[in-house]
Amino acid sequence: MQNNKSIVRKVLSMRELPLLVAIILGVVILSFYSPTFFTTGNMHSVFLGSAFESIKVIGMTLLLIQNGIDLSIGSIAGFTGVMVGIALDFGANVPMAIVVGLLAATVVGMVNGFIIAHLKINAMICTLAMQMIVRGLIFIVTRGVGRPNFPDAYNAIARINIFGLQAPIIYSLVLLAIFGVLFAKSGWFRQFYFIGGNEEAAQLSGIKVVKLRFFAYTFCGFMAGISGVLLAARMGGAIPTQGQGMEMNVIAAAVIGGASISGGKGTILGSFLGVLVMSLVINAFNVIGVDIYWQRTILGSILLLAIMTDKFRARKSN
């Protein structure tokens, strides 16, 4: 009995509980509005649509925890697909093409990390510039024309079914589970929380702030690369606009999930639930028939509201 009470207390004290309840209530309400909403096919579409952003949000959560941000992850994902296409054109096999794409994404992340961690350039300005640079490189390399026909052997990595689910869903859930445990239990990853909470104190306590910050941006680029590899396989090719605008959805999802833009707070579970909220909202727009031109406005308003809520929480805790 005592163990059961302890479990109940832990569940009720979860920071993610209100968001989970909101998701359940939203699904129930929308199911009454549209009988096609809560169906196996539509829920599968929601999870499949969120899989690519769920992978990106792992890296973004780590950045937000240590008081950073990356506005270039959408461009990095698109660049990854283009580099995979170039490698395939040069005769590389599928594993080698994937390695080329991931290396390209990781290098961009490393450049971000070096400029921000070592040169002390503002993260938002640096990654916004990198977003433009990488997107420009995509158009230079492709001449504005994508590579639409990747081989079936490559596309299969994102199109096969595993346990009755599309592969990207399984990949994202596995990565979320692994890094969810690491963020919560690993002492090494807990250092990022100390950096975000008080960078000066973290440095005085012996934490290698510069090296860890460099790692965080490199890691974020790598995770964007994994998402880009899967996105290109799912789409069957690479197009110049692939991944465009995804960074805003990912940032909004992480903040909605409880990650603080001021640093020191955030969990993988919360960020994943934030991604689900964004995916459900977009799916609900399509089911209800909200004009496409209004959707970006509403999503932007959600991001603004999430940031304002985060600021209010920070002031209240202080």
Side-chain angles (χ1 to χ4, degrees), residues 176-190 193 268:
L176 286 163
I178 291 171
F179 287 104
V181 172
L182 288 175
F183 279 32
K185 303 295 183 181
S186 166
W188 191 82
F189 274 98
R190 298 301 295 177
Y193 288 91
I268 294 299

Side-chain angles (χ1 to χ4, degrees), residues 106-120:
T106 305
V107 167
V108 177
M110 289 173 70
V111 173
N112 277 336
F114 177 79
I115 294 172
I116 294 165
H118 290 274
L119 303 184
K120 311 297 182 185

Side-chain angles (χ1 to χ4, degrees), residues 130-142:
M130 188 60 70
Q131 177 196 96
M132 298 168 68
I133 291 168
V134 173
R135 188 64 64 182
L137 285 174
I138 291 172
F139 279 95
I140 290 169
V141 170
T142 63

Side-chain angles (χ1 to χ4, degrees), residues 52-234:
F52 308 101
E53 292 181 357
S54 293
I55 294 171
K56 285 191 186 77
V57 86
I58 296 171
M60 185 62 74
T61 302
L62 186 64
L63 285 183
L64 290 170
I65 286 169
Q66 56 93 56
N67 196 19
I69 198 167
D70 190 345
L71 300 179
S72 66
I73 56 171
S75 295
I76 293 173
F79 186 58
T80 302
V82 168
M83 294 305 293
V84 166
I86 291 172
L88 291 170
D89 284 341
F90 275 92
N93 57 26
V94 170
M96 183 55 67
I98 292 172
V99 170
V100 169
L102 291 177
L103 277 175
T106 305
V107 167
V108 177
M110 289 173 70
V111 173
N112 277 336
F114 177 79
I115 294 172
I116 294 165
H118 290 274
L119 303 184
K120 311 297 182 185
I121 303 299
N122 179 276
M124 188 171 290
I125 300 299
C126 173
T127 56
L128 178 61
M130 188 60 70
Q131 177 196 96
M132 298 168 68
I133 291 168
V134 173
R135 188 64 64 182
L137 285 174
I138 291 172
F139 279 95
I140 290 169
V141 170
T142 63
R143 297 294 177 185
V145 179
R147 189 188 188 286
N149 298 309
F150 280 8
D152 291 339
Y154 178 83
N155 296 338
I157 65 174
R159 295 184 177 181
I160 60 172
N161 283 349
I162 302 174
F163 305 121
L165 298 172
Q166 289 284 302
I169 299 175
I170 299 298
Y171 300 150
S172 65
L173 291 176
V174 169
L175 288 170
L176 286 163
I178 291 171
F179 287 104
V181 172
L182 288 175
F183 279 32
K185 303 295 183 181
S186 166
W188 191 82
F189 274 98
R190 298 301 295 177
Q191 294 178 99
F192 292 94
Y193 288 91
F194 298 136
I195 295 172
N198 190 323
E199 182 178 333
E200 188 177 345
Q203 202 152 18
L204 290 171
S205 68
I207 293 174
K208 294 177 170 49
V209 173
V210 173
K211 288 184 178 180
L212 289 176
R213 183 156 287 156
F214 175 79
F215 170 82
Y217 281 95
T218 303
F219 175 74
C220 191
F222 178 72
M223 297 308 292
I226 293 177
S227 179
V229 164
L230 294 174
L231 185 60
R234 182 68 192 171

Side-chain angles (χ1 to χ4, degrees), residues 8-23:
V8 170
R9 283 197 203 97
K10 285 182 180 179
V11 171
L12 292 176
S13 64
M14 286 174 57
R15 295 178 71 236
E16 299 85 1
L17 184 61
L19 190 56
L20 184 59
V21 172
I23 290 172

